Amino acid sequence: SMDGASPPASPAGLSAYVAVSQLLGLTLLATTGAWLGRYRGGVAWHSPLQFNVHPLCMVLGMVFLQGDALLVYRVFRNEAKRSTKVLHALLHGLALVIALVGIVAVFESHRTKGIPDMYSLHSWCGMAAFVLYLLQWLLGCGFFLFPGASFSLRSRYKPQHVFFGIALFALSIAACLLGITEMLLFNIRDSYSHFVPEGVLANTLGVLLVAFGLVVGYVLTRDDWKRPPLAEELALSMDFKTLTEGESPGGSS
């Protein structure tokens, strides 16, 4: 019962983990920028450096923003569900747009340089992650954002949505790790084994990606950190259930 009291504080530890995740996320972006700037000539669109837009966009969109979109329900625990849901969808949408720019960059760069497309394991996993992510986003909007879907349909789809959300985040990180390895083998194949600074920096980026994924994954899977339904949401979903399915919510409040 929350009779006009101030909203409950976040569970102990949650804020610390979220802070660590953001610190790791920003370090990820800085490390990606440092690698591309210091060793790969920087980033530009209509130039031989167009390829470098790809790793930057993928880390920003498919890892950092995707991770933050997943954390929205843990961070904004006491805000209205609807606005939290909209923020969740908007962050995922932004991640998709940035990832699309990254995909266009790599295809255009390949075309300019006459390099074949879509033959590597990295490209297969990466494209699968992007296409499934787009599909997941469209389904999520269809089921949860637009008022058409019935309550029972929503509750049946929700476990899939939650599972594939985490699975696609993991697949995105795996695709990045494959991409880093591929980039190092293309660019510094001969010196990589001598622990040259570029190799060490790129490996560090890989370790940071794994760390970010683990911290976000931990926050998402801890049951006692899940967003508690607000009193008015519980009442609303009960009314909604009675209305849509004609069952009385009695007995199992």
Side-chain angles (χ1 to χ4, degrees), residues 51 106-119 182 186:
F51 175 84
V106 74
F107 278 106
E108 284 204 354
S109 160
H110 280 180
R111 202 184 61 226
T112 316
K113 295 175 181 170
I115 299 170
D117 292 316
M118 295 304 300
Y119 65 88
E182 194 174 292
F186 280 146

Side-chain angles (χ1 to χ4, degrees), residues 106-143:
V106 74
F107 278 106
E108 284 204 354
S109 160
H110 280 180
R111 202 184 61 226
T112 316
K113 295 175 181 170
I115 299 170
D117 292 316
M118 295 304 300
Y119 65 88
S120 71
L121 180 59
H122 163 66
S123 61
W124 288 19
C125 289
M127 193 54 84
F130 178 77
V131 171
L132 292 171
Y133 188 40
L134 176 61
L135 191 64
Q136 162 95 344
W137 186 73
L138 292 170
L139 284 170
C141 288
F143 276 102

Side-chain angles (χ1 to χ4, degrees), residues 53-83:
V53 174
H54 176 72
L56 191 61
C57 283
M58 286 354 226
V59 170
L60 174 58
M62 296 295 287
V63 179
F64 183 61
L65 286 175
Q66 182 177 180
D68 274 7
L70 296 175
L71 289 175
V72 157
Y73 288 111
R74 303 295 175 273
V75 176
F76 301 101
R77 307 174 65 73
N78 307 305
E79 278 68 18
K81 182 75 175 272
R82 175 88 192 162
S83 45

Side-chain angles (χ1 to χ4, degrees), residues 5 22 24 34 39 53 66 76 87 93 103 116 133 141 163 172 179 186 196 203 211 222 234 252:
Q22 297 314 288
L24 280 169
Y39 297 104
V53 174
Q66 182 177 180
F76 301 101
L87 179 61
I103 289 173
Y133 188 40
C141 288
F163 170 78
S172 301
F186 280 146
V196 289
N203 286 359
R222 246 188 86 159
L234 281 173
S252 61

Side-chain angles (χ1 to χ4, degrees), residues 148-221:
S150 82
F151 192 78
S152 66
L153 209 55
R154 278 181 184 196
S155 45
R156 238 174 302 171
Y157 172 61
K158 194 181 170 190
Q160 276 93 298
H161 185 73
V162 171
F163 170 78
F164 282 106
I166 295 178
L168 287 172
F169 178 57
L171 178 59
S172 301
I173 290 174
C176 286
L177 297 179
L178 288 167
I180 291 169
T181 304
E182 194 174 292
M183 213 167 140
L184 288 171
L185 292 177
F186 280 146
N187 291 316
I188 59 164
R189 181 185 279 116
D190 299 330
S191 58
Y192 187 22
S193 59
H194 302 304
F195 289 90
V196 289
E198 180 178 357
V200 173
L201 182 68
N203 286 359
T204 306
L205 173 59
V207 172
L208 286 167
L209 281 160
V210 172
F212 180 71
L214 290 173
V215 173
V216 171
Y218 181 70
V219 172
L220 291 176
T221 51

